[in-house]
Amino acid sequence: MNSQSGFHYGWVVVAAGAVITCVAMGALFALPVYQTPMADDTGWARAGIAGAMTIGFITMGIAGFFWGAISDRIGARPVLVIASVLLGGGLVIASQAPNLLVFQIAYGGLVGAAGSAFFAPLISTTVGWFDKNRGLAVALVSVGGGVAPMVLTPLAVILTESFGWRSAMLFIAIGALLVLVPASLLVRRPAIVDDAPAVPATPDAAAAAPAKTPLGTALSALRTPQFIVLAATFFFCCGAHSGPIFNTVAYAAFCGIAPLAAASVYGVEGVAGLFGRIVFGLLSDRFGPRRVIVGGLALQAVGIYAYIYVSELQHFYIMAVVLGLVYGGVMPLYSVLARDYFGQRIMGTVLGAATMVSSFGMALGPIAGGWIFDTYGSYHWLYVSSAVIGLAAAAMALAFPPPKKQEPESGTLQAA
């Protein structure tokens, strides 16, 4: 495959990735739509139903490392196909669950495990197709996740109101399978993959290190300062914005805003996140991902703190735009930065491990927000503490060393 044909097919992978992330994430995060109808129909506790999502976050984190490592060995395509079947099967079982425990295992366990397979393998493959426009390519793939609430969530609402939650979830499962499997088959490995080892702790260590298998190289990479800083920054970043994301609608309602209007704040964040992905992707290509991540994390912390002064709907909308732009734009850039530090052959493992760490930070927000409100009777300290965590993320990001620019090997595929 010549570089020109590689250029074209790289964008096919991007398009397929955007569709996959939209459908997969939309199907996974539609649970809030089903929650009330499920509770009314079955008598299950709402906390128990929501607990399936907490289980899902934990499962996604652990399984993400597994999927990433496997994709380094067999490629993203078979991983995506297997995960598509697992997601569809989990939704089918969940839709017919006779009790809460079966539902939590099916949705939190099977669907959650499948959900993590649509990030590291897909993103690591995407960055391998691009030397130029890498930030934009990753941003476009991740746009699918931002579009998901505007596509799958309304569809789930319509289906639930028309046929009930069990049939709605079953229809979503079948539709997801019909879209995800063919789209996954379009995802190919880059024609030529660089096999540069993970950045060692010191240049001397690189010279003295014996040849390693890709798995051995990947495990060594997870002990480098570069990965530790990457994972820690990712953790603090997610720990900072997860609480505000999951509790802002409740905070708006607490301020006296009507429930439907309060829910629209979340939608504004999602739309802003779409633009943030594109804008930050372009900025990353222009100024480098490290600088953009540091600036974005600092702005995220300021935006989170500013929420404590917000009480009117129009102000919630303004802050939703700011926060949505920033966290939507920053998140995809971790994979771009990881690609600058680590070789393509171990990208799946590196991203899977980093995502596993970040998911634990993401899981803290909903629980912390509820505990703070129950303890203090307001969300004030949620936003203060989240802003402090956000500053810690920005400070950690400053520890990223500038990546060394490597000359492309002869014949290396380059896509504009």
Side-chain angles (χ1 to χ4, degrees), residues 23-24 27-28 82-92 110-111 114-115 118 173 176 180:
V23 174
L28 174 62
I82 293 170
S84 299
V85 174
L86 186 62
L87 182 142
L91 287 175
V92 169
L110 297 180
V111 179
F118 299 104
L180 289 175

Side-chain angles (χ1 to χ4, degrees), residues 229-305:
V229 173
L230 176 72
T233 304
F234 210 172
F235 173 85
F236 285 123
C237 172
C238 290
H241 65 233
S242 64
I245 289 173
F246 281 94
N247 292 283
T248 292
V249 173
Y251 176 42
F254 177 75
C255 291
I257 297 173
L260 184 59
S264 68
V265 175
Y266 183 67
V268 171
E269 279 189 4
V271 173
L274 296 180
F275 291 98
R277 286 169 168 84
I278 304 300
V279 171
F280 276 64
L282 293 171
L283 290 174
S284 171
D285 290 333
R286 177 66 177 84
F287 300 105
R290 177 177 174 270
R291 293 178 179 177
V292 177
I293 287 176
V294 171
L297 291 175
L299 182 58
Q300 174 181 260
V302 173
I304 291 171
Y305 182 77

